[in-house]
Amino acid sequence: MTSQGEPQEGFSTLSKVTGPSSWSRVSCPCCISSHIEPLVLIQLAENVQPITKQWIMSMISAPVKAGGAQLLVHPGEDMKGDMIVVAAPRCTLLRVTEDLGLCKTYQDGNMTAFSFEDRDNFCNIDNMQQFLTLAERQYIVKHELDSMRAMEDQRVPGVPAPKGKLKARESILQKLEKAGVIRNITPLHDQKLLSALGKQWYSHKSLWGQPLDSIHAYFGGTIAYYFSFLDFYTLSLFPPAILGLFITFFLPSANFSSGNKTDSEPTLPKQDDDQPSVSSYMVQAVFSMLWSTVFMELWKRRSAALSYHWGTFNLAEQFQEPRPGFHGELSTNPVTGRLEPLFPEWKRRLRIGLVSVPVVGVFLGLVVMGMAGFYFFERLVSGWHKASGSYFTVVLLYLPSIAHILYTNVLGNIYRNVALKLTEAENHREESSFDYHYTTKVLVFTFFNNFAVLFHIAFFKEDLPLLRKRLSSLLIVTQVVNQFTEVVVPFLVDRFLTSADRNLKEDDPEVDHLQAQGSLPAFPGLFAEYIELLVQFGYLSLFSCVYPLTAPLLLLNNLTEIRTDAYKLCKLFNKPFSAPVANMGVWQPAFEVLSFISVMSNCWLLLLSPHVKELTEDAGLSSSKVLVIAVIVEHVLIMVKMILAFMIPDEPDWVRIKREQIEYHSMQALKKQRIMRSSVDDKLPSKA
């Protein structure tokens, strides 16, 4: 590990072009160093004037009190170039570490909330590349760039009005991005670390295990939590996959298609003749309910342990700056007293009620139209099959399901873009509020789009063979599409496009490697990846008792998903900024909601199974009595689920103790500061 400020091997290109003397300097004596680590690349528009670039660099290096970011900047090759390289002085890194509420290793070996005043008692405090991960250092730079504000009305030099006009307290970075002055802001790769991570990760020969600490150190908490959840979820699929294979191939199945057929009648292919027996239904249904509960509770414990290990379980909750994209009339904020854009809440609610809700309703109507089309063609093809009974019509039986699956996928992609535009138009002030409203829109539509047909088939049509066929079609088509997009497309892109770029660099050693890092497409985020896992979890927890092979198919998909997602992140996209996080955020309650619904879904699917219907008819039970029994069983199972969730603590005892120790030490430190201030005040001479 290199010492503070020593350039890493992956950043050697910059050190060859420019020396440390070309960087801006800060007045803090503790930050004086002969070596500086470049962290972030800012790409400017090609027509940006040198005076504009000089002004941007001066604001980035200006003190926080003057509206700047107090960072180190370098002009790249020269002032006429279209890039700015940004680094961070030690004092800025430590100050923001405390502001974010990150925990670091104290001299006694425990994780403790970092305090700037007590910094000398923390381990590795003199080596920023050991004290903070690369992802944390780069996020701190982005955090400070976002915090730059104009202290008064002014104009950006070299940018004509109105694009270059800044109002007091307006975000400088947001204004420059809107004006087209800044094209892209990218955290720089460390090629040596990235190559080592790739060998541990997607190039590793074993099918299991991920270097989660290395992922967290290089890509940050948001990325690390996703891959940790994917890893834990894939591992947890083994028990239901084994059970599904056992039920499918070893337990007896029942045949429902045999009517009063005689031996002389021809044997024609029937759809879904063999169904799980009553014991299989019951075992799979009860197991799915218990598995989903235990899985989520154990994941909470793992998440809590990771948040302690990565120093994020004590993140500070602070009043957030307005997010990029927020606009309004400039006025004094009644909470902070700062001059900033304000937007009336009634206008936002009006936009939600009169625009967002109706548009979401239109898309839900399109889902219903797709369902109607699916049922129409399902009846049409079933009629052909009954009339001919050929093997060709057996294949045609799956076409309506496949067509509807493609329809829902296309509609879902269109809706996500529309939902993003709607949420932007609602003009939310905080990033957390924006994410919440956007995610809620997408989750409502996703649940309706992916599960409405299945629920309708199961509980209204009560056609379990059709439900089984539909679910199998969903899983098979999804597998094929995912394997193509997750494996084939990345391979082709890397094989032809990326290799051509590498050959160009080998032919011309003067190619600017810093510019090349920003030439890749931006990382699209993890939204689509979490949606995919949420839909998977829904198929498994809600309907797997009808189709026991659900878990084995999902397991096969996820074993490749881990490697391909890692490969795309490292090879095909720009490195993303990743904020420190303590959990999965809004996605965790979304999975918990599906886990709760699974109790009701599996209970009623068990009631609707032909085997249970036969048993109740043989016992002479009326439909009302069967309904009462089903409701009682459902409530008992919900109670069992709640008791099970209560018995499994959300965090391990050792994490709870560590958290309480940090809270206690924080209270003691605050008490000590108050005593010291009181003693100082007592020593001061009193005014007559």
Side-chain angles (χ1 to χ4, degrees):
M1 194 64 81
T2 56
S3 61
Q4 157 61 17
E6 183 179 343
Q8 300 177 25
E9 184 174 325
F11 301 125
S12 58
T13 302
L14 183 64
S15 61
K16 292 178 182 177
V17 177
T18 58
S21 59
S22 300
W23 288 84
S24 63
R25 290 294 178 180
V26 293
S27 58
C28 180
C30 72
C31 297
I32 297 176
S33 174
S34 59
H35 300 289
I36 296 172
E37 176 194 28
L39 293 171
V40 173
L41 173 67
I42 299 178
Q43 291 180 298
L44 306 176
E46 295 181 356
N47 59 348
V48 169
Q49 300 181 21
I51 189 175
T52 305
K53 181 175 180 179
Q54 181 63 52
W55 181 84
I56 296 173
M57 292 177 61
S58 67
M59 290 305 303
I60 294 175
S61 59
V64 175
K65 293 182 179 179
Q70 199 167 329
L71 298 170
L72 305 175
V73 290
H74 192 284
E77 296 180 1
D78 53 53
M79 286 304 300
K80 295 181 180 180
D82 61 350
M83 70 177 183
I84 297 174
V85 184
V86 186
R90 180 174 180 268
C91 60
T92 299
L93 292 173
L94 296 180
R95 173 178 56 82
V96 181
T97 299
E98 181 179 23
D99 292 342
L100 294 175
L102 292 175
C103 295
K104 294 297 174 181
T105 306
Y106 204 64
Q107 61 183 4
D108 60 2
N110 293 319
M111 297 294 288
T112 305
F114 178 74
S115 170
F116 187 83
E117 293 183 357
D118 194 26
R119 59 187 179 277
D120 293 332
N121 290 321
F122 284 83
C123 298
N124 301 316
I125 193 64
D126 294 325
N127 190 327
M128 288 295 99
Q129 281 140 350
Q130 289 187 0
F131 182 72
L132 293 169
T133 67
L134 176 61
E136 289 171 340
R137 299 194 299 273
Q138 291 174 330
Y139 176 76
I140 287 174
V141 170
K142 184 62 164 61
H143 180 275
E144 294 303 282
L145 291 174
D146 288 335
S147 67
M148 292 192 302
R149 293 287 187 276
M151 303 306 294
E152 58 185 12
D153 292 350
Q154 57 181 297
R155 189 175 67 84
V156 179
V159 181
K163 289 185 177 180
K165 187 177 180 181
L166 276 167
K167 297 181 180 180
R169 295 301 305 170
E170 188 174 4
S171 170
I172 295 176
L173 190 67
Q174 175 190 342
K175 188 68 175 182
L176 294 174
E177 289 177 331
K178 283 187 175 181
V181 176
I182 292 179
R183 291 188 290 123
N184 192 23
I185 302 178
T186 308
L188 289 169
H189 273 299
D190 181 331
Q191 297 299 335
K192 182 179 179 180
L193 290 179
L194 183 62
S195 177
L197 177 60
K199 292 178 181 178
Q200 290 180 284
W201 202 3
Y202 58 83
S203 297
H204 203 263
K205 293 183 178 179
S206 70
L207 292 176
W208 201 253
Q210 294 190 81
L212 294 177
D213 287 340
S214 299
I215 297 170
H216 175 265
Y218 192 83
F219 284 108
T222 305
I223 304 293
Y225 263 100
Y226 165 73
F227 280 99
S228 177
F229 179 77
L230 177 58
D231 183 81
F232 186 78
Y233 172 54
T234 305
L235 176 64
S236 301
L237 284 175
F238 274 97
I242 294 172
L243 177 63
L245 292 173
F246 179 78
I247 289 175
T248 302
F249 297 106
F250 295 100
L251 285 186
S253 59
N255 189 299
F256 302 118
S257 60
S258 60
N260 297 321
K261 185 175 61 176
T262 63
D263 294 338
S264 60
E265 294 179 4
T267 303
L268 297 178
K270 300 290 183 181
Q271 54 172 321
D272 298 298
D273 287 348
D274 294 324
Q275 301 289 333
S277 63
V278 62
S279 58
S280 303
Y281 263 100
M282 188 172 297
V283 170
Q284 184 74 46
V286 174
F287 181 86
S288 295
M289 289 181 283
L290 297 178
W291 174 85
S292 62
T293 302
V294 174
F295 164 72
M296 288 308 304
E297 295 303 316
L298 293 182
W299 163 249
K300 291 180 188 177
R301 293 173 60 85
R302 179 178 174 85
S303 178
L306 289 174
S307 67
Y308 174 82
H309 182 61
W310 291 336
T312 58
F313 70 109
N314 193 47
L315 293 178
E317 295 182 2
Q318 53 187 351
F319 192 77
Q320 302 175 6
E321 291 285 341
R323 70 174 186 86
F326 176 73
H327 57 273
E329 294 293 329
L330 194 65
S331 184
T332 301
N333 190 305
V335 178
T336 63
R338 295 187 302 227
L339 193 66
E340 63 180 47
L342 296 180
F343 187 76
E345 181 65 23
W346 68 267
K347 286 188 178 180
R348 182 177 299 111
R349 293 179 180 272
L350 197 66
R351 293 181 180 183
I352 294 174
L354 297 182
V355 180
S356 297
V357 173
V359 172
V360 172
V362 169
F363 274 87
L364 296 181
L366 293 176
V367 173
V368 175
M369 288 178 58
M371 288 174 54
F374 163 69
Y375 288 131
F376 172 78
F377 288 106
E378 179 74 23
R379 288 193 300 269
L380 183 64
V381 174
S382 296
W384 293 346
H385 175 66
K386 291 180 180 179
S388 63
S390 65
Y391 286 95
F392 174 72
T393 56
V394 172
V395 177
L396 289 180
L397 287 172
Y398 288 88
L399 286 183
S401 292
I402 295 173
H404 186 250
I405 292 167
L406 296 176
Y407 172 82
T408 55
N409 287 336
V410 172
L411 189 63
N413 291 331
I414 296 174
Y415 175 80
R416 279 194 286 271
N417 294 326
V418 173
L420 183 61
K421 297 296 183 182
L422 290 174
T423 312
E424 289 175 349
E426 292 167 5
N427 196 28
H428 296 277
R429 182 187 183 278
E430 293 86 11
E431 193 71 40
S432 58
S433 177
F434 179 89
D435 292 339
Y436 173 80
H437 283 83
Y438 174 59
T439 306
T440 301
K441 290 184 183 70
V442 176
L443 286 179
V444 169
F445 177 81
T446 299
F447 185 86
F448 201 78
N449 193 34
N450 288 276
F451 301 124
V453 172
L454 298 178
F455 276 109
H456 189 270
I457 293 173
F459 304 121
F460 291 92
K461 294 176 68 71
E462 299 186 5
D463 190 344
L464 295 191
L466 178 59
L467 176 63
R468 185 171 186 263
K469 184 184 70 177
R470 170 70 179 186
L471 189 58
S472 63
S473 300
L474 277 169
L475 293 170
I476 294 171
V477 172
T478 302
Q479 288 268 18
V480 173
V481 173
N482 281 351
Q483 293 303 312
F484 180 78
T485 58
E486 303 278 354
V487 180
V488 178
V489 173
F491 172 78
L492 294 177
V493 170
D494 185 65
R495 178 68 177 84
F496 295 104
L497 299 182
T498 312
S499 61
D501 183 62
R502 282 195 294 263
N503 292 334
L504 177 63
K505 293 177 183 179
E506 291 174 0
D507 295 339
D508 185 4
E510 299 299 325
V511 171
D512 193 338
H513 292 275
L514 286 175
Q515 292 281 20
Q517 287 202 37
S519 64
L520 292 173
F523 180 65
L526 297 170
F527 202 94
E529 308 298 334
Y530 273 120
I531 285 290
E532 179 184 343
L533 294 182
L534 188 70
V535 172
Q536 277 191 18
F537 186 75
Y539 292 154
L540 179 60
S541 59
L542 299 175
F543 304 107
S544 62
C545 66
V546 177
Y547 189 57
L549 288 179
T550 300
L553 291 174
L554 296 181
L555 178 60
L556 291 175
N557 179 80
N558 287 2
L559 287 175
T560 59
E561 180 90 10
I562 294 175
R563 296 291 187 265
T564 54
D565 282 354
Y567 180 84
K568 290 188 297 183
L569 181 63
C570 294
K571 289 282 191 178
L572 304 184
F573 297 107
N574 277 337
K575 184 182 180 184
F577 289 101
S578 182
V581 292
N583 49 50
M584 287 166 48
V586 70
W587 297 104
Q588 185 161 304
F591 278 89
E592 291 186 87
V593 168
L594 282 183
S595 176
F596 183 83
I597 296 176
S598 70
V599 176
M600 295 175 281
S601 174
N602 283 282
C603 183
W604 289 99
L605 283 175
L606 184 61
L607 175 67
L608 294 174
S609 66
H611 321 280
V612 175
K613 286 185 176 181
E614 291 178 2
L615 291 176
T616 55
E617 289 176 0
D618 294 341
L621 296 176
S622 63
S623 58
S624 59
K625 290 183 179 179
V626 173
L627 182 61
V628 170
I629 294 174
V631 171
I632 294 174
V633 171
E634 178 191 79
H635 282 67
V636 170
L637 291 174
I638 291 176
M639 185 64 66
V640 171
K641 177 183 176 64
M642 295 175 64
I643 294 174
L644 189 60
F646 176 78
M647 291 175 60
I648 304 176
D650 289 349
E651 59 183 13
D653 287 341
W654 65 271
V655 174
R656 177 184 55 80
I657 293 173
K658 295 291 185 182
R659 176 173 51 79
E660 292 175 353
Q661 287 177 347
I662 289 179
E663 293 174 355
Y664 174 77
H665 290 156
S666 299
M667 293 174 59
Q668 292 298 108
L670 183 61
K671 182 179 179 181
K672 183 178 179 181
Q673 289 179 2
R674 289 175 177 173
I675 294 175
M676 292 177 61
R677 290 174 182 173
S678 177
S679 61
V680 171
D681 293 340
D682 292 340
K683 293 179 182 180
L684 293 176
S686 60
K687 295 182 180 180

